[in-house]
């Protein structure tokens, strides 16, 4: 069938002419999907004066870069980007289109899905290709995009498919897919598109001012993370984690429960709907180990878990465990590190 | 002049309290296993709408799609100052994914012909944050996501949005749909007078079948009726609702077998903690 020859697309998000890392991460996974399907991998790049970014996309695995370069696309706006993407998708008919689950991606992707009446799975932690049999009609579908995301409750991963309404679309958070190695000098086909819709488009929004906040917390780049959960008990106790992080030269993170309880800032949330991290050392304090949290940290090289409950699931991903009260263990740890440092 | 505001509110299981078997075998949520609450950011959405009414007059209407039990949050909204509440309930809407849900809600919202629509940024049961943008697309309304602050002036919305890497101030044409973040402000408390009044508000489906019609007429006379719509009332194309209108299907659910690699336990004693720290230094993880 014709539609099965469709390309695999990743949306190459850029801001002020700088590619978002997530675009390159998606190329790594996109490459695997495209190779399994035997179709080209294309990065879709929208913006103004952004042609120069194509080289980097090729080097990270894109066979094609589909470029819409237009002054009207200088700044992201839902209406313009949405209309251009819809026009492009209807013209080229990709079978898969994956977006970064960034603020921009989460604004754009659902609008496109709504207009095209196709499915969209948010915050996937894994993507693959596989078959699906409709349990009612017994109809079989080969080579579908399998969209995995941790599901509500228990330790469960749900796999979502969109067998009928294509393109198959998903979003993936930053840091979830591994950044592929670049192949310096690798090139590909640059396809320039004119978006006809731009000629007549009236934008309902005028951007008056943009204020970029300096990022105060950099979890993604941290080598050591000290993370706390609801078990920390209070914002006051959370200071112990900061103290430990300070002596280790690490960064403090938290679970959603810790954020909801006001123990730490939202930007420190680690997990499916927070940041995904892969530090050399992850110290989990008072964290039960819910699947949505594990999704964001289980690739850490060494995991230490401190929890009063020896049955807590966090221990099954940990390399070192201490069953005990963190208010007792953390001061001991700080003391031991200071003592070793003094030697 | 006043603005007509509609707020989409959702009753969600309190995911902070997830324990044990919250999932059913078919991948849907066993809602009965969890306490049901007013989705946190939908409370902020309601507050944003109430502030527009405070400043300019007009009305605030809340809409939810769900089982009759969801009337609990509609009553809560009325007690906080909403003018009117509607329940969209229909068995044919069951198993709707975000595409179908946003279609059904957009049909309900269209009937109310609002100038401003407010949704929470996301619902805590799925965290998809898709429904708001999708309703906006279907209404043809201006989409303004991640709202932190709003002012209406000269018929335009002046909004501050959180764009992740900072904030953006925009001027948006009406009608517009906003997805609201916590920063917009905490929902005002219930007013005692309204709480006394609206605790008796009911939708027809909440009333005993035999006497429902008469009872509902009596409630209407006192302004205590919660509006109730099924899919036909809001002119839905059934092929776009429920399972038929949902392109995403749950293929399978797997229990995660956590990778039990090598594991070493240490006691919470000074000696053991020092040993652990020592081994981390020895293999250059720290230091
Ligand atoms: C759609 C969705 C998305 C989500 N996304 C995320 C996400 O991105 N990140 C995330 O973290 N969560 C996320 N969650 C929430 C997740 O399901 C859990 O609710 C959350 O991770 C639990 O956090 P916790 O481990 O801090 O709290 P709890 O599960 O309450 O665990 C607290 C732990 O502390 C231990 N403890 C208590 N006292 C002490 C003490 N004195 N010393 C040592 N240990 C102690 C307890 O034994 C317990 O194991 C999401 C949920 C949903 C539904
Ligand atoms: N069943 C529903 N009834 C009313 N509003 C809803 C419903 N589902 C989603 N919404 C609205 O859409 C927002 C985002 O939901 P979600 O896409 O599920 O994260 C919520 O905060 C609500 O404002």
């Amino acid at each position: 069938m014709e539609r099965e020859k469709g390309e695999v697309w990743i949306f190459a998000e850029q801001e002020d002419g700088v590619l978002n890392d997530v675009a390159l991460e998606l190329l790594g996974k996109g490459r695997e999907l495209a190779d399994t399907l035997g179709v080209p991998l294309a990065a879709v790049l929208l913006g103004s004066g952004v042609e120069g970014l194509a080289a980097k996309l090729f080097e990270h695995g894109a066979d094609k870069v589909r470029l819409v370069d237009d002054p009207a696309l200088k700044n992201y706006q839902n209406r313009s980007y949405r209309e251009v993407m819809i026009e492009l998708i209807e013209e080229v008919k990709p079978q898969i289109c994956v977006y970064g689950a960034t603020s921009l991606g989460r604004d754009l992707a659902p609008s496109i899905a709504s207009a095209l009446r196709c499915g969209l799975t948010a915050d996937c932690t894994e993507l693959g290709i596989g078959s699906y049999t409709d349990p009612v009609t017994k109809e079989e579908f080969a080579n579908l995009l399998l969209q995995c995301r941790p599901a509500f409750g228990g330790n469960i991963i749900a796999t979502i498919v969109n067998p009928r309404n294509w393109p198959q679309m998903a979003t993936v958070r930053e840091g979830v897919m591994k950044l592929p190695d670049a192949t310096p000098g690798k090139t590909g086909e640059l396809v320039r598109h004119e978006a006809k819709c731009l000629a007549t488009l009236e934008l309902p929004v005028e951007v008056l001012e943009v204020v970029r906040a300096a990022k105060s917390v950099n979890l993604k780049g941290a080598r050591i993370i000290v993370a706390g959960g609801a078990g920390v008990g209070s914002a006051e106790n959370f200071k112990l984690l900061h103290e430990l992080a300070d002596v280790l030269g690490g960064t403090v993170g938290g679970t959603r429960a810790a954020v909801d309880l006001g123990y730490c800032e939202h930007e420190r949330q680690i997990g499916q709907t927070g940041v995904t991290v892969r530090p050399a050392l992850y110290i989990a304090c008072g964290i039960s180990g819910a699947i949505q949290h594990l999704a964001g940290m289980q690739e850490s090289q060494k995991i230490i878990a401190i929890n009063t409950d020896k049955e807590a699931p966090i221990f099954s991903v940990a390399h070192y465990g201490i069953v005990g009260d963190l208010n007792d263990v953390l001061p001991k740890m700080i003391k031991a590190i200071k003592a070793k440092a003094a030697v | 002049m006043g603005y007509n505001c509609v707020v989409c509110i959702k009753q969600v299981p309190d995911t902070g309290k997830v324990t044990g078997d919250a999932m059913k075998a078919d991948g849907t949520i066993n809602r009965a296993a969890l306490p049901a609450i007013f989705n946190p950011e939908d409370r902020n959405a309601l507050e944003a709408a109430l502030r527009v009414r405070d400043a300019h007059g007009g009305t605030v209407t809340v809409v939810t799609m769900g089982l009759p039990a969801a009337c609990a949050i509609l009553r809560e909204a009325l007690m906080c100052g909403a003018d009117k509440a509607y329940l969209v309930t229909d068995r044919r809407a069951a198993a709707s994914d975000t595409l179908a849900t946003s279609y059904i809600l957009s049909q309900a919202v269209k009937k109310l012909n609002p100038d401003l629509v407010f949704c929470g940024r996301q619902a805590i049961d799925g965290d998809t944050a898709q429904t708001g943008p999708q309703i906006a697309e279907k209404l043809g309304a201006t989409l303004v996501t991640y709202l932190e602050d709003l002012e209406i002036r000269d018929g335009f919305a002046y909004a501050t949005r959180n764009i992740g890497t900072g904030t953006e101030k925009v001027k948006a044409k009406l009608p517009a749909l906003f997805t609201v973040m916590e920063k917009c402000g905490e929902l005002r408390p219930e007013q005692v007078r309204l709480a006394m009044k609206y605790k008796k508000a009911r939708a027809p489906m909440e009333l005993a079948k035999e006497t429902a019609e008469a009872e509902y007429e009596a409630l209407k006379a006192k302004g205590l009726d919660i509006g109730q719509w099924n899919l036909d009332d809001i002119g839905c194309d059934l092929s776009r609702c429920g399972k038929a209108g949902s392109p995403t299907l749950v293929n399978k659910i797997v229990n995660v077998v956590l990778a039990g690699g090598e594991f070493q336990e240490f006691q919470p004693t000074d000696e053991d903690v020092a040993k652990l720290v020592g081994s981390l230094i020895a293999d250059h993880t720290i230091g």
Side-chain angles (χ1 to χ4, degrees), chain B residues 42-218:
Chain B
D42 300 357
R43 301 175 72 90
N44 307 120
L46 174 57
E47 179 60 26
L50 291 170
R51 286 182 190 179
V52 170
R53 192 192 59 190
D54 289 346
H56 304 278
T59 57
V60 173
T61 305
V62 287
V63 178
T64 193
M65 166 180 140
L67 298 171
C71 286
I73 61 164
L74 294 177
R75 277 187 285 277
E76 232 179 299
L78 290 167
M79 292 173 186
C80 294
D83 299 292
K84 180 78 196 151
Y86 286 92
L87 170 72
V88 178
T89 193
D90 195 312
R91 287 166 69 166
R92 296 167 297 179
S96 291
D97 67 6
T98 62
L99 188 74
T101 300
S102 63
Y103 170 67
I104 297 168
L105 284 170
S106 71
Q107 290 294 105
V109 172
K110 264 182 205 165
K111 241 182 124 87
L112 298 165
N113 196 27
D115 305 298
L116 302 119
V117 184
F118 296 86
C119 286
R121 177 186 46 142
Q122 63 188 30
I124 59 169
D125 54 351
D127 275 3
T128 71
Q130 286 172 191
T131 309
Q134 299 199 322
I135 295 174
E137 193 279 329
K138 293 187 160 71
L139 295 174
T142 308
L143 173 65
V144 180
T145 44
Y146 322 126
L147 186 76
E148 286 195 343
D149 189 46
L150 176 65
E151 197 189 318
I152 310 287
R153 236 187 306 133
D154 319 321
F156 286 94
Y158 290 84
T160 305
R161 307 176 55 220
N162 181 317
I163 51 169
T165 51
T167 55
E168 182 180 273
K169 286 195 165 55
V170 299
K171 175 182 174 188
K173 276 193 190 140
L174 302 186
L177 181 145
F178 306 89
T179 76
V180 176
M181 299 188 54
E182 192 187 350
K183 204 147 174 221
C184 267
E186 202 180 313
L187 178 58
R188 59 198 62 189
E190 290 172 7
Q191 291 177 35
V192 179
R193 181 183 58 84
L194 297 177
M196 294 296 289
K197 176 175 175 196
Y198 286 117
K199 71 179 183 207
K200 298 193 203 92
R202 292 289 180 278
M205 290 256 290
E206 292 183 289
L207 303 171
K209 243 205 181 109
E210 309 78 54
T211 53
E213 226 170 289
E215 264 188 80
Y216 195 61
E217 284 310 315

Side-chain angles (χ1 to χ4, degrees), chain A residues 15 76 78-79 82 102-104 106-107 109-111 113-115 117-123 131-134 146-147 149 151-165 171 173 202-214 223-224 248 256 266 272-273 280-281 289 291 294 298 302 304 313 315-325 328-329 332-333 335-337 340, chain B residues 13-16 18-20 22-23 27 29-30 34 97-99 102 121-122 124-131 133-138 140-146 158 161-173 237 240 243 246-256 258-270 273-281 283-287:
Chain A
E15 199 169 56
Y76 172 76
N78 179 275
R79 187 67 58 93
R82 176 222 293 178
T102 57
S103 300
L104 188 161
R106 283 157 73 86
D107 182 279
S111 313
S114 175
R117 299 194 197 171
C118 62
L120 175 67
T121 306
D123 299 332
S131 60
Y132 170 75
T133 310
D134 187 307
L146 305 180
Q147 306 145 40
R149 81 188 298 253
F152 183 91
N155 287 335
I156 283 163
I157 303 268
T159 305
I160 315 284
V161 290
N162 320 324
R164 296 187 178 86
N165 308 44
T171 69
R173 287 203 170 243
E202 257 185 69
L203 294 180
V205 171
E206 189 187 327
V207 178
L208 305 174
E209 189 189 350
V210 180
V211 183
R212 301 249 180 249
R223 224 182 71 80
I224 296 176
L248 286 170
R256 180 154 104 181
H266 185 260
Q272 182 195 346
T273 50
L281 178 64
I291 184 69
L294 300 184
Q298 59 190 344
K302 285 250 159 63
I304 302 179
F315 285 119
S316 21
V317 299
H319 306 92
Y320 303 113
I322 301 176
V323 179
D325 186 333
D328 166 48
V329 175
K332 286 182 174 144
M333 209 174 236
K335 196 171 87 187
I337 294 161
K340 301 270 181 194
Chain B
D14 189 352
T15 52
V18 175
T19 44
M23 290 291 278
I29 299 160
N30 182 11
L34 289 171
D97 67 6
T98 62
L99 188 74
S102 63
R121 177 186 46 142
Q122 63 188 30
I124 59 169
D125 54 351
D127 275 3
T128 71
Q130 286 172 191
T131 309
Q134 299 199 322
I135 295 174
E137 193 279 329
K138 293 187 160 71
T142 308
L143 173 65
V144 180
T145 44
Y146 322 126
Y158 290 84
R161 307 176 55 220
N162 181 317
I163 51 169
T165 51
T167 55
E168 182 180 273
K169 286 195 165 55
V170 299
K171 175 182 174 188
K173 276 193 190 140
D237 168 355
R240 297 181 67 181
K243 218 168 166 154
S246 299
T248 56
L249 302 172
V250 177
N251 181 15
K252 66 171 187 223
I253 301 284
V254 290
N255 285 307
V256 181
L258 298 173
E262 37 175 316
F263 176 76
Q264 221 179 326
E265 187 174 337
F266 291 85
Q267 296 309 309
T269 58
D270 276 317
V273 170
K275 232 194 281 171
L276 169 58
V277 168
S279 69
L280 292 172
I281 292 173
D283 68 9
H284 302 290
T285 301
I286 62 177

Side-chain angles (χ1 to χ4, degrees), chain B residues 10-13 22 24 28-36 67 125:
Chain B
K10 187 181 188 185
Q11 192 182 41
V12 292
K24 292 191 278 191
T28 54
I29 299 160
N30 182 11
R31 285 168 195 274
L34 289 171
L67 298 171
D125 54 351

